[in-house]
Amino acid sequence: MTGGYGSYTCITEFINGRSEYLPVMLEWVDEFYKTHTVYNSKTAAKKKTIKNLSVTAKKGTEVIKIKTIKKAKVVVTVSQKIIKSRKKAVKKLVIKPAKNKNGTVSVKLSKKLKKGIKVTAKVTKEGYKAKTKTITIK
């Protein structure tokens, strides 16, 4: 090969030397990307939507109730550090799918809910689009 590595003459000589194999290689690449959904975003499986998500939290109560689909991960966030997690009070609590067997989750609080506190619940599950719902205590 003449010219430096990566030069025009080097590249053209490389392609011309393999010209009989290129059409076969291009056919294989086309066929591979048509049939493999992992690499082809147009034919990738669409995710289902989570239809059921309700958050119940009333002023003066010490419990937040969330109803959603079974065996889904639920993340509950409150605008103040009032969620009981072991012996601490935290803003955010993650409920694993194993703890959400029937689709109903209760979150205990260290203080009663007051007006203006925001409660957010985010539900995720494999094969589903994530769904978030936020409520403000009235």
Side-chain angles (χ1 to χ4, degrees):
M1 286 190 209
T2 56
Y5 180 76
S7 68
Y8 175 78
T9 54
C10 178
I11 293 169
T12 53
E13 285 181 18
F14 178 83
I15 291 172
N16 289 334
R18 290 154 182 84
S19 61
E20 59 192 63
Y21 304 110
L22 287 176
V24 177
M25 290 168 61
L26 290 173
E27 255 181 57
W28 183 87
V29 169
D30 287 340
E31 192 61 34
F32 180 83
Y33 281 98
K34 281 181 188 173
T35 58
H36 287 75
T37 57
V38 175
Y39 302 103
N40 191 349
S41 61
K42 290 179 185 174
T43 58
K46 291 188 178 180
K47 292 185 174 186
K48 297 176 190 176
T49 56
I50 296 171
K51 293 177 183 174
N52 183 17
L53 175 58
S54 68
V55 180
T56 307
K58 293 181 181 176
K59 181 181 166 186
T61 60
E62 290 186 18
V63 177
I64 299 168
K65 290 183 182 176
I66 297 145
K67 281 189 177 183
T68 187
I69 58 175
K70 295 177 183 180
K71 296 179 183 174
K73 176 182 166 187
V74 180
V75 180
V76 182
T77 311
V78 181
S79 58
Q80 295 178 7
K81 282 188 173 183
I82 59 170
I83 298 175
K84 278 186 186 177
S85 178
R86 298 177 191 166
K87 292 183 180 181
K88 281 185 170 183
V90 292
K91 274 185 156 186
K92 187 177 186 179
L93 182 67
V94 178
I95 295 130
K96 294 180 181 176
K99 297 279 183 181
N100 180 14
K101 289 180 183 173
N102 61 356
T104 304
V105 176
S106 291
V107 178
K108 293 180 181 175
L109 307 173
S110 62
K111 294 179 184 176
K112 291 182 178 181
L113 287 168
K114 295 178 184 175
K115 184 179 177 180
I117 294 175
K118 287 186 179 181
V119 179
T120 304
K122 182 179 181 182
V123 180
T124 54
K125 187 174 180 178
E126 199 171 310
Y128 288 81
K129 289 182 186 175
K131 188 168 186 175
T132 306
K133 186 169 186 178
T134 304
I135 62 164
T136 305
I137 306 301
K138 295 178 183 177

